[in-house]
Amino acid sequence: KAGVTQTPRYLIKTRGQQVTLSCSPISGHRSVSWYQQTPGQGLQFLFEYFSETQRNKGNFPGRFSGRQFSNSRSEMNVSTLELGDSALYLCASSLAGTGNQAFFGQGTRLTVV
Amino acid sequence: KQEVTQIPAALSVPEGENLVLNCSFTDSAIYNLQWFRQDPGKGLTSLLLIQSSQREQTSGRLNASLDKSSGRSTLYIAASQPGDSATYLCAVRRQPGANNLFFGTGTRLTVIP
């Protein structure tokens, strides 16, 4: 059974640009969550999608957005990139339902220069 | 606001030693708690999920306990091996059906051969 797949693994972008990251969940998982990991702030929740609807949202500016498709694949977009957006972005998928285990992908390392 | 703390931040032990990692959370109204390991630059690997109604969970050399009323969880690793070297993270889920995890700050473990 394939795990959570994130693409691309590495990205280098320039300040002011925008970027789109992709996450394919484990087959059958309908919940996809996104996290940002930085050395200073640790792991912080961005948002969660379930059945194409945003179910929860963390405390990030509106430059961070996401969506989920009917096949449960999800994308997150960051517009007007800032140097502080450099981070490891992690995606997690879970089965529908209550409090199932979250399974994480390998992450996308974004560097903003 | 839920805050999750892990002590110590770093730990070095000789191979073969038993060890305990600690996780504290400020709001005891949690649904479950999950322990992860993270290798440098990689995603998170789920180790154990412990429901709020449970006292402990075991998997191989790992044992996680939960004392919800006091806001504490411990991860016990028996007979440590160099391959156990990684950062260990705990995360709490506040309510069923919500996959926004609140992560601790992590403990970086080094097992010396």
Side-chain angles (χ1 to χ4, degrees):
Chain A
K1 193 173 183 182
V4 179
T5 303
Q6 291 188 244
T7 56
R9 291 293 312 279
Y10 303 93
L11 267 177
I12 300 176
K13 290 286 187 178
T14 305
R15 267 184 308 175
Q17 287 187 314
Q18 74 165 15
V19 66
T20 299
L21 312 181
S22 179
C23 172
S24 293
I26 292 171
S27 178
H29 287 194
R30 292 164 61 191
S31 169
V32 175
S33 301
W34 288 89
Y35 295 83
Q36 181 195 65
Q37 187 176 31
T38 59
Q41 299 297 317
L43 269 154
Q44 293 185 286
F45 171 74
L46 281 156
F47 29 66
E48 179 202 2
Y49 285 87
F50 179 79
S51 293
E52 303 179 64
T53 302
Q54 189 180 88
R55 185 157 72 172
N56 288 291
K57 188 176 188 306
N59 189 26
F60 278 81
R63 300 185 297 107
F64 292 81
S65 63
R67 58 178 175 168
Q68 187 180 34
F69 302 95
S70 58
N71 62 357
S72 294
R73 189 178 70 86
S74 177
E75 290 181 345
M76 70 162 278
N77 184 277
V78 188
S79 62
T80 319
L81 284 165
E82 301 177 358
L83 295 178
D85 297 333
S86 295
L88 181 66
Y89 289 88
L90 292 162
C91 160
S93 78
S94 304
L95 279 170
T98 58
N100 288 289
Q101 278 197 55
F103 295 90
F104 280 77
Q106 290 297 297
T108 295
R109 170 74 62 185
L110 171 65
T111 302
V112 182
V113 298
Chain B
K1 181 193 171 191
Q2 178 72 272
E3 292 185 7
V4 185
T5 305
Q6 291 183 248
I7 294 173
L11 181 64
S12 289
V13 299
E15 182 177 1
E17 198 163 287
N18 302 325
L19 59 102
V20 174
L21 306 180
N22 297 293
C23 171
S24 302
F25 44 95
T26 54
D27 185 349
S28 62
I30 66 166
Y31 184 70
N32 59 32
L33 183 146
Q34 197 166 351
W35 282 93
F36 297 89
R37 70 172 278 169
Q38 184 176 32
D39 294 288
K42 300 290 179 65
L44 276 62
T45 300
S46 178
L47 298 173
L48 289 164
L49 173 71
I50 182 165
Q51 304 293 345
S52 61
S53 58
Q54 297 176 314
R55 299 287 292 185
E56 62 180 70
Q57 278 284 356
T58 298
S59 176
R61 295 183 294 109
L62 305 180
N63 175 278
S65 69
L66 175 64
D67 185 343
K68 186 181 159 186
S69 60
S70 67
R72 291 183 186 177
S73 176
T74 61
L75 179 67
Y76 174 82
I77 302 177
S80 59
Q81 303 170 357
D84 294 331
S85 298
T87 296
Y88 290 80
L89 294 147
C90 66
V92 300
R93 183 182 276 106
R94 291 174 67 180
Q95 53 198 15
N99 284 308
N100 51 322
L101 299 174
F102 290 83
F103 277 88
T105 45
T107 294
R108 187 167 69 247
L109 173 66
T110 303
V111 181
I112 303 164

